[in-house]
Amino acid sequence: MTSTTLHRPPIAIITALRTTLPFLFFLFILLYLINSSKLLIYPPKITTNINCQDHSNPNNHPKTGYNTELKHIAFCIAASSKLWNSRKEYIKLWWRPRETRGVVWLDHEVKVNENETLPDIYISQDTSRFPYTNRQGHRSAIRISRIVSEALRLGLDDVRWFVMGDDDTVFVLENVVRVLNKYNHNQYYYIGSSSESHFQNIFFSYSMAYGGGGFAISYPLAKELAKMQDRCIKRYTGLYGSDDRMQACMAELNVPLTKEPGFHQNDVYGNLLGLLSGHLVTPLVSLHHFDVIDPIFPGMDRVDSVKHLLDSTKYDSASLIQQSICYDTKWEWSVLVSWGFAVQIVRGIMSPRELEIPSRTFSNWHKVSDFRAYALNTRPITRHPCQKPFVFYVNSTRYDESRRQIIGIYSVHRERHPGCRWKMGSPEKIHTIVVLKHEDPDRWLRAPRKDCCRVLPSRKEGVMYIWVGHCGENEVIEV
Ligand SMILES: *[C@@H]1O[C@H](CO)[C@@H](O)[C@H](O)[C@H]1NC(C)=O
Ligand SMILES: *[C@@H]1O[C@H](CO)[C@@H](O)[C@H](O)[C@H]1NC(C)=O
């Protein structure tokens, strides 16, 4: 058709349109109404295609790495005498007498209770000769940044790595070993992670390992550092903390940060649920700032809740908080598993690319409500009142010898939910979720991949059964 015919259509077409147009218009409105009311009543539908056989054998993989074990790691914990009485409770949660090696560095003597299973306590050297000119920070930063060098001078034998942490840093020891085992300890390595706060990372550096999340320095690098650190520290009197001083010296040594995002500074406030259940596909190495965030499990105190989380490492430390996504196709619910921690059910089918993103159950370090302030992608907890998640926290975990699988019991966290008019079953009726899983200690020796999960048939009222494990061949969360 040419533009002339478009502008001047023949009379016959005009009359035809005159008679049919109102009808077409009416039909269009009708279709629109039907369609939109459907959208209001039902969430968008997608099908899932799940093949229920487990093909892969988890034990079929050669061991790799550098045979690094816990005994090769010296922990250097930065503490202060003022907060020691409360903070030592966090150290007790992960410290294992006669297994873990390392030292707590304090500024002053404290009363020691022989009963407690804690690392040996050392008093740091006097650092008053070093100038400190930062107006916001505290000069203890200089003392703390020197503890790697001081630990080196203790002359502990057979140490491959120095791992730094604060007195409120909690390590998942097996995963510290798993991560360090990937790297050659005879080379220079500075391993850690950034802050969750984009502003913090802009202000300090994306190339800095945050001290509270903990970081690792290989033995030969600690040796190089010790030779120059005191001179280096004197060049950076205006820096704020110990970790930016450390990074300044690393820059002088030409050693970049090797990022391992399982180290967590946790520069957030509020509820950690979204951050943990949206964890990257990497082992959980450390957590921090427990006095700032809400207890990880509602209704429990802070120390007990960390202990409760670590209970899940007893059977499968490698899989702690790892994410799996599946759907209950009968009820049209989305299921988000964070293994050993929590399961969430959301009404409707939400795509994996959305569900996998950390939901903003927490708020940011500068307490401004702006999601651009995070150094990670986040999503709102819910876009529609019907989609407020039903949260089930881990209650207990045990090992079933006969079936050689881990059985986790997750109990509903009762909270108010807004009314929902979607014509589908409410997850309200579920009070317990049972998660079945095989142990998978070698999962990080393979290419990173999430476990698949499948909702199993259940004959028990109010109980949902979920299987979590290796994805079968052709197993896709198909949208
Ligand atoms: C050591 O532990 C025992 C038993 O738990 C307790 O009775 C005792 O008072 C403790 N000693 C000290 C010095 O705290
Ligand atoms: C586990 O469930 C039992 C029974 O409902 C309850 O009494 C107990 O407090 C729960 N424990 C935890 C750690 O949630």
Side-chain angles (χ1 to χ4, degrees):
M1 232 187 244
T2 68
S3 58
T4 2
T5 50
L6 254 182
H7 287 146
R8 296 171 196 277
I11 301 290
I13 292 181
I14 291 176
T15 32
L17 278 177
R18 266 205 193 124
T19 48
T20 52
L21 253 185
F23 176 69
L24 282 175
F25 183 69
F26 175 71
L27 194 70
F28 175 77
I29 293 286
L30 190 72
L31 280 173
Y32 176 78
L33 281 178
I34 290 172
N35 201 32
S36 60
S37 68
K38 235 188 192 164
L39 275 177
L40 283 175
I41 299 165
Y42 305 105
K45 247 190 186 171
I46 50 174
T47 53
T48 57
N49 169 14
I50 282 178
N51 165 352
C52 264
Q53 279 166 297
D54 195 347
H55 292 275
S56 43
N57 176 358
N59 299 320
N60 223 353
H61 301 271
K63 292 235 186 286
T64 56
Y66 292 88
N67 300 316
T68 292
E69 296 172 36
L70 192 54
K71 64 176 186 192
H72 296 124
I73 300 168
F75 289 90
C76 308
I77 302 153
S80 74
S81 51
K82 231 166 135 190
L83 294 173
W84 179 241
N85 263 331
S86 62
R87 292 287 173 81
K88 68 183 180 186
E89 297 304 322
Y90 292 119
I91 302 174
K92 283 186 203 166
L93 296 174
W94 60 271
W95 187 258
R96 292 185 200 154
R98 290 175 300 281
E99 280 186 65
T100 36
R101 302 172 71 195
V103 171
V104 171
W105 297 91
L106 280 171
D107 44 356
H108 300 290
E109 300 275 352
V110 288
K111 256 197 16 217
V112 178
N113 181 348
E114 295 297 332
N115 275 2
E116 290 175 331
T117 54
L118 283 166
D120 289 343
I121 292 172
Y122 280 69
I123 306 298
S124 307
Q125 287 168 359
D126 176 34
T127 51
S128 54
R129 68 181 187 281
F130 293 92
Y132 183 89
T133 57
N134 189 294
R135 279 157 196 251
Q136 271 109 46
H138 192 271
R139 62 172 304 114
S140 63
I142 295 168
R143 173 180 80 83
I144 291 165
S145 74
R146 291 176 79 250
I147 70 182
V148 180
S149 300
E150 287 199 50
L152 180 87
R153 291 181 197 118
L154 293 179
L156 300 169
D157 64 343
D158 202 19
V159 170
R160 295 181 175 187
W161 297 93
F162 291 97
V163 172
M164 313 277 301
D166 284 352
D167 47 7
D168 59 342
T169 308
V170 167
F171 290 102
V172 180
L173 292 176
E174 292 83 358
N175 291 340
V176 176
V177 175
R178 282 189 178 97
V179 161
L180 295 183
N181 183 45
K182 294 197 300 190
Y183 300 98
N184 184 346
H185 53 277
N186 295 314
Q187 313 253 326
Y188 294 175
Y189 275 111
Y190 165 53
I191 302 172
S193 192
S194 316
S195 169
E196 292 76 8
S197 160
H198 179 52
F199 293 159
Q200 291 274 90
N201 291 330
I202 292 287
F203 184 74
F204 291 101
S205 173
Y206 269 101
S207 312
M208 177 181 111
Y210 280 68
F215 58 90
I217 287 185
S218 60
Y219 188 86
L221 178 56
K223 258 170 59 181
E224 287 305 298
L225 175 74
K227 285 183 219 163
M228 55 80 84
Q229 193 177 26
D230 284 353
R231 296 197 309 275
C232 170
I233 286 174
K234 282 183 187 151
R235 286 189 275 273
Y236 300 95
T237 60
L239 293 185
Y240 173 84
S242 60
D243 40 12
D244 46 356
R245 282 178 167 73
M246 181 65 69
Q247 194 259 331
C249 302
M250 288 297 147
E252 292 195 356
L253 288 162
N254 293 303
V255 177
L257 174 65
T258 297
K259 255 195 205 175
E260 276 291 344
F263 288 90
H264 292 282
Q265 169 78 5
N266 286 351
D267 279 343
V268 294
Y269 289 98
N271 186 342
L272 224 49
L273 176 69
L275 211 52
L276 292 184
S277 42
H279 199 256
L280 292 173
V281 187
T282 189
L284 177 68
V285 175
S286 71
L287 290 169
H288 178 234
H289 270 161
F290 291 107
D291 289 344
V292 171
I293 56 177
D294 297 345
I296 294 178
F297 296 99
M300 247 188 227
D301 81 20
R302 294 188 152 82
V303 172
D304 284 347
S305 65
V306 181
K307 185 171 184 300
H308 188 53
L309 181 69
L310 292 180
D311 283 345
S312 295
T313 62
K314 188 169 164 195
Y315 302 107
D316 194 357
S317 52
S319 301
L320 184 63
I321 75 162
Q322 293 304 312
Q323 188 188 65
S324 301
I325 290 170
C326 52
Y327 301 99
D328 185 318
T329 43
K330 182 173 156 214
W331 297 108
E332 295 185 38
W333 296 335
S334 305
V335 179
L336 176 67
V337 179
S338 173
W339 190 84
F341 170 51
V343 180
Q344 294 173 72
I345 302 181
V346 180
R347 282 193 192 93
I349 306 290
M350 222 170 161
S351 71
R353 76 179 284 279
E354 167 131 28
L355 210 49
E356 70 178 2
I357 300 171
S359 61
R360 290 193 283 275
T361 60
F362 48 91
S363 57
N364 65 54
W365 198 238
H366 297 275
K367 295 189 168 166
V368 288
S369 102
D370 182 353
F371 64 83
R372 291 169 302 180
Y374 297 112
L376 59 143
N377 291 122
T378 58
R379 63 172 166 93
I381 299 173
T382 155
R383 292 187 197 278
H384 186 285
C386 285
Q387 291 182 313
K388 179 172 171 176
F390 290 75
V391 186
F392 301 74
Y393 287 102
V394 69
N395 179 297
S396 60
T397 313
R398 66 183 174 85
Y399 189 70
D400 178 352
E401 288 286 350
S402 61
R403 300 216 171 104
R404 299 220 316 242
Q405 65 182 1
I406 308 161
I407 302 175
I409 311 290
Y410 296 67
S411 311
V412 70
H413 171 54
R414 297 258 173 235
E415 55 189 337
R416 275 191 49 156
H417 282 258
C420 171
R421 287 159 68 186
W422 283 0
K423 295 241 164 63
M424 57 164 50
S426 167
E428 222 169 341
K429 57 190 166 196
I430 306 290
H431 54 75
T432 302
I433 298 181
V434 179
V435 178
L436 308 173
K437 186 183 180 305
H438 288 290
E439 199 185 357
D440 192 4
D442 295 334
R443 67 181 301 147
W444 303 112
L445 298 178
R446 305 186 299 269
R449 193 177 186 194
K450 288 183 197 175
D451 281 325
C452 278
C453 73
R454 299 164 200 161
V455 177
L456 305 173
S458 166
R459 277 195 221 131
K460 264 197 213 156
E461 187 90 17
V463 182
M464 181 189 244
Y465 287 83
I466 296 175
W467 176 93
V468 169
H470 293 240
C471 300
E473 243 170 82
N474 307 321
E475 184 161 359
V476 191
I477 321 172
E478 202 161 300
V479 180

